Amino acid sequence: MDSRPVHNELHVRSLLWRVLGGQVLGFLEVLYFFIGVGLLGMLISQHVSFVKYGACDAEVGEAVRTLSGEAQILELRVNRKLSKAEKGGEDGRIEDSTAFRFSTDRRLLLVPREQIAGSQIGLHEVVIEPDSQCFGSFASKSLIKYVLGHEVILLNVFRRAVEKEKVKGYLYSYSDHKLYPLAPPPDNNWWSVYRGKFAACVTSLFLMHTMSGLIMFSLRHIQVRILKLSVDLRAYMLSQISCSALEVIVHYALDAIVFVPIITGVLYFLREFFEDLFFSFMVVLVAWMREVVLLVNARHWANEKRLQQLLSAYFFTFHLYFFCFPMGYSWLALFTCTLFMQHAVIMTWNRSIRRHSIYASNVNALSPLHLL
């Protein structure tokens, strides 16, 4: 029997896989790169405009300056215009969920508005329109209104006002029901600034190594247990022991419950740093995918191109931004970091396919190219 048609078919399939796979990976590489660069530009522009500096500080700073004594409350909110369907045919506005209450006494933050009206507690209300000039251009206003929200902007407005007026107080957010203690920095010299940056670097490295160690421990033990499960299932199927495969699977499933408190402990451990359980879960998810990719590529050519160092650098940059600017755009920074990490993985795989396609002499119809 002539094997040449079979060899030709395998050769054609190998060529199609290399061409189509390379084109798809090339398209994804370019796509993730441009989206990541766009998100990075958005993060830098929004951070410079509203975290480091701010155009909405004048009214809030004046209101914070007027707080005398402890029986004063300052409320700041952003109103939004209603559509005709929301208005029910009537003109007017409603209050957006973006609202904050500031006071030097934390007990006054939960006092209802009805009780404030009939008491001697002074209430200062500041309303900022969504089309205010302090939110920048039309594109910036649309981005803030429909994508980013006003929470980060208002948080930093209060932070800068407290630092400028040297007032210690508490800020309550109605949107996420969180309490933020605000106080001016004790000193603003160069030593305190560099000490804070150094502490952020040490905390970022500590968290990255802790998560990496725990995740690698879990992955390696899961891999060992899956191999043992496969061996035991094969042994039970070939033997005459009266034991079903379901019993073996249940036994290993109950044995694997030990990883549940480990992952739960990691989540609540990270919550002490990130102060949000869902955000901590997303950070753990990104770290888990990073370790899985590095484990899959442990013996691959991609490891020679320092994929691990590149992913670690992106992840470290995200941690450094979060701990240097705890009231910054953390979600946007996490999304940007994730996109750049995906771009790094796809770029490495794409370069690997091109290198093997051009220089590898052992790629033929009988031994086609494998991605991993």
Short mmCIF file of all heavy atoms in Angstrom, two decimals, residues 102-103 106 109 155 159 162 167-172 178-184 275 327:
data_model
loop_
_atom_site.label_atom_id
_atom_site.label_comp_id
_atom_site.label_asym_id
_atom_site.label_seq_id
_atom_site.Cartn_x
_atom_site.Cartn_y
_atom_site.Cartn_z
N PHE A 102 -19.08 63.45 54.49
CA PHE A 102 -17.84 63.67 55.23
C PHE A 102 -18.15 64.40 56.53
O PHE A 102 -18.98 65.32 56.56
CB PHE A 102 -16.87 64.50 54.39
CG PHE A 102 -15.60 64.85 55.11
CD1 PHE A 102 -14.57 63.93 55.20
CD2 PHE A 102 -15.45 66.09 55.70
CE1 PHE A 102 -13.39 64.25 55.86
CE2 PHE A 102 -14.28 66.42 56.37
CZ PHE A 102 -13.25 65.49 56.45
N SER A 103 -17.46 63.97 57.59
CA SER A 103 -17.63 64.61 58.89
C SER A 103 -16.40 64.33 59.72
O SER A 103 -15.70 63.33 59.53
CB SER A 103 -18.88 64.12 59.60
OG SER A 103 -18.99 64.71 60.89
N ARG A 106 -17.36 60.45 63.20
CA ARG A 106 -17.86 59.31 62.44
C ARG A 106 -19.27 58.90 62.85
O ARG A 106 -19.96 58.23 62.09
CB ARG A 106 -16.92 58.12 62.60
CG ARG A 106 -16.77 57.61 64.01
CD ARG A 106 -15.72 56.50 64.08
NE ARG A 106 -16.07 55.40 63.21
CZ ARG A 106 -15.29 54.34 63.02
NH1 ARG A 106 -14.11 54.28 63.64
NH2 ARG A 106 -15.66 53.37 62.22
N LEU A 109 -22.12 60.17 60.45
CA LEU A 109 -22.19 59.73 59.06
C LEU A 109 -23.43 58.91 58.77
O LEU A 109 -23.88 58.86 57.62
CB LEU A 109 -20.93 58.90 58.73
CG LEU A 109 -19.61 59.66 58.81
CD1 LEU A 109 -18.45 58.73 58.51
CD2 LEU A 109 -19.60 60.85 57.84
N LEU A 155 -13.59 60.55 45.65
CA LEU A 155 -12.70 60.11 46.73
C LEU A 155 -11.42 60.95 46.78
O LEU A 155 -10.99 61.40 47.85
CB LEU A 155 -12.36 58.64 46.56
CG LEU A 155 -13.33 57.61 47.11
CD1 LEU A 155 -12.90 56.20 46.70
CD2 LEU A 155 -13.42 57.70 48.62
N ARG A 159 -9.76 63.56 49.48
CA ARG A 159 -8.41 63.32 49.97
C ARG A 159 -7.53 64.56 49.83
O ARG A 159 -6.81 64.93 50.77
CB ARG A 159 -7.80 62.15 49.20
CG ARG A 159 -6.36 61.83 49.58
CD ARG A 159 -5.79 60.75 48.69
NE ARG A 159 -5.81 61.12 47.27
CZ ARG A 159 -4.90 61.90 46.70
NH1 ARG A 159 -3.90 62.40 47.42
NH2 ARG A 159 -4.98 62.20 45.41
N VAL A 162 -8.65 67.30 52.35
CA VAL A 162 -8.20 67.03 53.72
C VAL A 162 -6.71 67.32 53.86
O VAL A 162 -6.26 67.89 54.86
CB VAL A 162 -8.52 65.57 54.09
CG1 VAL A 162 -7.79 65.16 55.36
CG2 VAL A 162 -10.02 65.39 54.27
N VAL A 167 -7.29 68.82 57.92
CA VAL A 167 -8.46 68.43 58.71
C VAL A 167 -8.53 66.91 58.73
O VAL A 167 -8.42 66.25 57.70
CB VAL A 167 -9.76 69.01 58.12
CG1 VAL A 167 -10.97 68.54 58.92
CG2 VAL A 167 -9.69 70.53 58.12
N LYS A 168 -8.77 66.35 59.90
CA LYS A 168 -8.92 64.92 60.05
C LYS A 168 -10.40 64.58 60.14
O LYS A 168 -11.14 65.20 60.90
CB LYS A 168 -8.20 64.43 61.30
CG LYS A 168 -8.27 62.93 61.49
CD LYS A 168 -7.52 62.49 62.74
CE LYS A 168 -7.60 60.99 62.93
NZ LYS A 168 -6.87 60.55 64.16
N GLY A 169 -10.84 63.61 59.34
CA GLY A 169 -12.25 63.26 59.33
C GLY A 169 -12.48 61.88 58.76
O GLY A 169 -11.55 61.10 58.54
N TYR A 170 -13.77 61.59 58.50
CA TYR A 170 -14.20 60.28 58.00
C TYR A 170 -15.12 60.50 56.81
O TYR A 170 -15.95 61.41 56.81
CB TYR A 170 -14.91 59.48 59.08
CG TYR A 170 -14.06 59.24 60.31
CD1 TYR A 170 -14.08 60.14 61.36
CD2 TYR A 170 -13.24 58.13 60.39
CE1 TYR A 170 -13.29 59.93 62.48
CE2 TYR A 170 -12.45 57.91 61.51
CZ TYR A 170 -12.49 58.82 62.56
OH TYR A 170 -11.70 58.61 63.66
N LEU A 171 -14.98 59.64 55.83
CA LEU A 171 -15.76 59.72 54.60
C LEU A 171 -16.56 58.44 54.42
O LEU A 171 -16.00 57.34 54.50
CB LEU A 171 -14.84 59.95 53.39
CG LEU A 171 -15.51 60.14 52.04
CD1 LEU A 171 -16.32 61.42 52.02
CD2 LEU A 171 -14.46 60.15 50.92
N TYR A 172 -17.86 58.60 54.18
CA TYR A 172 -18.75 57.44 53.99
C TYR A 172 -19.29 57.46 52.57
O TYR A 172 -19.77 58.49 52.08
CB TYR A 172 -19.90 57.48 54.98
CG TYR A 172 -20.88 56.34 54.83
CD1 TYR A 172 -20.57 55.06 55.27
CD2 TYR A 172 -22.12 56.54 54.22
CE1 TYR A 172 -21.46 54.01 55.13
CE2 TYR A 172 -23.02 55.50 54.08
CZ TYR A 172 -22.69 54.24 54.53
OH TYR A 172 -23.58 53.21 54.37
N LYS A 178 -18.86 51.97 52.34
CA LYS A 178 -17.55 51.85 52.97
C LYS A 178 -17.22 53.12 53.72
O LYS A 178 -17.66 54.21 53.36
CB LYS A 178 -16.47 51.56 51.92
CG LYS A 178 -16.50 50.16 51.36
CD LYS A 178 -15.32 49.96 50.41
CE LYS A 178 -15.30 48.54 49.86
NZ LYS A 178 -14.15 48.33 48.94
N LEU A 179 -16.43 52.96 54.76
CA LEU A 179 -15.97 54.07 55.57
C LEU A 179 -14.48 54.28 55.33
O LEU A 179 -13.69 53.34 55.48
CB LEU A 179 -16.24 53.81 57.05
CG LEU A 179 -15.87 54.94 58.01
CD1 LEU A 179 -16.73 56.17 57.75
CD2 LEU A 179 -16.01 54.47 59.46
N TYR A 180 -14.10 55.50 54.97
CA TYR A 180 -12.71 55.82 54.67
C TYR A 180 -12.21 56.84 55.69
O TYR A 180 -12.70 57.98 55.73
CB TYR A 180 -12.57 56.42 53.28
CG TYR A 180 -13.04 55.53 52.16
CD1 TYR A 180 -14.35 55.59 51.70
CD2 TYR A 180 -12.18 54.62 51.55
CE1 TYR A 180 -14.80 54.78 50.66
CE2 TYR A 180 -12.61 53.81 50.51
CZ TYR A 180 -13.92 53.89 50.08
OH TYR A 180 -14.36 53.08 49.05
N PRO A 181 -11.28 56.46 56.55
CA PRO A 181 -10.66 57.46 57.44
C PRO A 181 -9.66 58.31 56.67
O PRO A 181 -8.76 57.78 55.99
CB PRO A 181 -9.98 56.60 58.51
CG PRO A 181 -9.74 55.28 57.86
CD PRO A 181 -10.82 55.09 56.84
N LEU A 182 -9.80 59.60 56.76
CA LEU A 182 -8.94 60.53 56.03
C LEU A 182 -8.20 61.40 57.02
O LEU A 182 -8.78 61.90 57.98
CB LEU A 182 -9.75 61.41 55.07
CG LEU A 182 -10.53 60.68 53.97
CD1 LEU A 182 -11.32 61.69 53.15
CD2 LEU A 182 -9.60 59.88 53.08
N ALA A 183 -6.93 61.56 56.77
CA ALA A 183 -6.09 62.40 57.64
C ALA A 183 -4.95 62.95 56.81
O ALA A 183 -4.44 62.27 55.91
CB ALA A 183 -5.57 61.61 58.83
N PRO A 184 -4.50 64.16 57.09
CA PRO A 184 -3.36 64.71 56.36
C PRO A 184 -2.09 63.95 56.73
O PRO A 184 -1.96 63.43 57.84
CB PRO A 184 -3.31 66.17 56.82
CG PRO A 184 -3.99 66.16 58.15
CD PRO A 184 -5.06 65.11 58.07
N GLU A 275 -8.89 45.14 50.64
CA GLU A 275 -10.10 45.67 51.28
C GLU A 275 -11.36 45.41 50.47
O GLU A 275 -12.34 46.14 50.59
CB GLU A 275 -9.95 47.18 51.56
CG GLU A 275 -8.81 47.51 52.49
CD GLU A 275 -8.70 48.99 52.75
OE1 GLU A 275 -9.47 49.76 52.12
OE2 GLU A 275 -7.86 49.39 53.57
N MET A 327 -6.43 54.88 46.33
CA MET A 327 -7.68 55.47 45.87
C MET A 327 -7.66 55.74 44.38
O MET A 327 -8.39 56.60 43.88
CB MET A 327 -7.98 56.77 46.63
CG MET A 327 -8.28 56.58 48.09
SD MET A 327 -8.79 58.10 48.91
CE MET A 327 -9.09 57.51 50.57
#
